Amino acid sequence: MGGLVETVLPARMGTPFRWLVASSWVSNLGDGVAVAAGPLLVASLTTDPLVVALAALLQQLPWLLFGLHAGVLADRVDRRALVVAVDLARAGVLAVLVLALATGGVGIPAVLTALFVLGTAEVFADTAAGTLLPMVVPRADLGIGNARMTAGTLTMNQLAGPAVGGVLFVAGAAWPFLAQAVLVALGAVLVARVRLPAVERPAGRATVRRDVAEGLRWTWGHPAVRTLTLTIVLFNVTYGAAWSVLVLYADQRLGLGAAGFGLLTTVVAVGGMVGTASYDWLERHVGLAHLMRVGLVIETLTHLGLALTRTPWVAMAVLAVFGAHAFVWGTTSRTVRMRAVPAGLQGRVGSLYAMGVFGGILVGQALGGVIARVWGVTGPFWFAFAGSALLVAVMWRALGHVAHADDATLAAT
């Protein structure tokens, strides 16, 4: 057991890193429970597809509404205290929801309000939590650190959590939300154990607008981070378009039936586990810019493969490779950003990046629905392939900035 712990959480990275990973994994398990339980709760109260879609939107909308404010706050206050306070507040909201469900006094308006409040709290908690890793891990170890954090997101949030949430919901509508409340509160307790160095903050009062503008100027003025941000926004438009109809694709194109969508998403997560296991080796032997270039080619070919095939096992193989790429890309992009961004700007630059992720996906989802209605269920995949191929050609040279930024930051350590 000791050897396994040392492999996953090397002692050289320190005790604060281990507490941070434990908190992240526990909180992600709680959020993963809600991934299944939230939609199941809404669907148990209404069959109106507009309300069901609204529930999903209300959980993502806070990133666009409050993302910039969350970044500013994370750069102004004690980040650990912010994570603890917000997570305890989330646990409190969940406790109220559990009580309402247990007594039968909950309706659609209350559930939608709770989902929006929880989504808003998650924006502030995730933004602040995303600034903690560079404060406890040396720059040279940020790749491994991000890999371990992302592995927790993958296994807990995408694999274990939804399965647990579904089982608990069958036992009773309140049970998954009670479990989430306990896990989120436990995550707050664990992150409170993390000891952080002080962050130097500018003296004097500053407005939110000025702080946001500073983050925007820094992001645009740094070639590597600018390239990463533009890439994630544009590629998430193509990704969002294709994935918006994946549930229909699984049924109509592959003939997998109702269980097909869950099967395909599980295959993506399994591919991500392969990426998790290989990341340490890849980081030692392959330059970060090369990892990202190859990854974008894989993503482009994923859309082409799915557009062409009607065979379920071929689609699953394609999605498994995509899952490995998605893990490696996400870990690499976060590592480059964390190495490049000054400590006092981590919140604002990170929130801009997260807003690019969610904004790109939302735009892509809107496009995907329109394209599928006009050209059929494979239309969004052809759009994603053509768009991604064009973006690869345009961004290919710019990704070289990533390698130079990585070399420069590591040389400074």
Side-chain angles (χ1 to χ4, degrees):
M1 177 63 73
L4 177 62
V5 172
E6 174 62 25
T7 299
V8 177
L9 305 171
R12 73 172 191 279
M13 296 176 72
T15 301
F17 170 68
R18 291 182 170 182
W19 284 121
L20 183 60
V21 170
S23 171
S24 175
W25 288 11
V26 168
S27 296
N28 268 295
L29 179 58
D31 292 340
V33 168
V35 167
L40 287 172
L41 176 60
V42 175
S44 70
L45 297 173
T46 179
T47 57
D48 187 338
L50 181 60
V51 176
V52 174
L54 179 61
L57 175 64
L58 287 175
Q59 291 178 284
Q60 296 188 25
L61 187 60
W63 275 106
L64 300 182
L65 296 178
F66 306 116
L68 293 176
H69 294 82
V72 169
L73 188 61
D75 287 340
R76 286 187 179 182
V77 304
D78 184 321
R79 291 162 173 170
R80 179 186 59 187
L82 179 59
V83 175
V84 171
V86 174
D87 276 349
L88 290 178
R90 290 171 64 198
V93 173
L94 285 163
V96 173
L97 178 61
V98 168
L99 182 61
L101 289 170
T103 58
V106 65
I108 283 295
V111 170
L112 294 179
T113 300
L115 292 176
F116 180 75
V117 171
L118 290 169
T120 300
E122 190 171 350
V123 170
F124 285 87
D126 287 355
T127 299
T131 68
L132 300 183
L133 185 65
M135 299 176 70
V136 301
V137 172
R139 285 182 175 182
D141 285 329
L142 278 172
I144 295 176
N146 273 308
R148 301 301 183 265
M149 299 284 278
T150 308
T153 302
L154 181 68
T155 55
M156 301 299 178
N157 192 285
Q158 299 181 24
L159 284 177
V164 172
V167 171
L168 289 176
F169 191 86
V170 172
W175 286 111
F177 300 100
L178 177 61
Q180 186 187 11
V182 172
L183 290 167
V184 169
L186 178 57
V189 172
L190 292 171
V191 81
R193 303 291 302 271
V194 178
R195 294 293 174 261
L196 301 172
V199 176
E200 183 178 350
R201 295 181 174 87
R205 297 176 62 85
T207 64
V208 172
R209 179 178 296 181
R210 185 178 303 169
D211 281 354
V212 169
E214 184 182 8
L216 286 167
R217 281 196 303 270
W218 192 94
T219 300
W220 189 256
H222 193 284
V225 178
R226 180 179 68 236
T227 297
L228 286 176
T229 304
L230 290 174
T231 301
I232 199 66
V233 171
L234 297 173
F235 269 86
N236 269 336
V237 172
T238 57
Y239 164 83
W243 257 243
S244 68
V245 297
L246 189 63
V247 63
L248 298 177
Y249 174 88
D251 182 34
Q252 298 176 13
R253 180 75 172 178
L254 301 180
L256 290 175
F261 177 66
L263 182 60
L264 293 184
T265 55
T266 299
V267 168
V268 173
V270 170
M273 294 300 296
V274 175
T276 301
S278 63
Y279 191 82
D280 293 6
W281 184 91
L282 288 171
E283 188 183 40
R284 290 195 305 269
H285 293 87
V286 183
L288 297 187
H290 295 307
L291 277 178
M292 302 185 90
R293 283 170 169 160
V294 171
L296 295 184
V297 171
I298 290 174
E299 183 160 339
T300 302
L301 294 179
T302 294
H303 301 313
L304 177 62
L306 294 177
L308 290 173
T309 189
R310 291 181 176 272
T311 308
W313 71 263
V314 173
M316 291 178 195
V318 169
L319 287 171
V321 174
F322 172 81
H325 142 70
F327 172 87
V328 172
W329 166 271
T331 302
T332 302
S333 63
R334 278 188 294 275
T335 299
V336 171
R337 191 182 74 244
M338 287 180 178
R339 285 174 177 167
V341 179
L345 284 164
Q346 287 278 352
R348 281 165 285 176
V349 176
S351 67
L352 284 170
Y353 190 85
M355 289 179 68
V357 171
F358 285 94
I361 289 175
L362 287 174
V363 171
Q365 288 173 336
L367 289 173
V370 173
I371 293 170
R373 176 169 289 184
V374 176
W375 285 289
V377 74
T378 60
F381 293 94
W382 284 111
F383 165 78
F385 165 66
S388 296
L390 177 61
L391 290 172
V392 167
V394 172
M395 304 296 291
W396 189 267
R397 293 185 57 143
L399 286 170
H401 293 309
V402 172
H404 297 313
D406 187 52
D407 292 342
T409 51
L410 287 178
T413 59

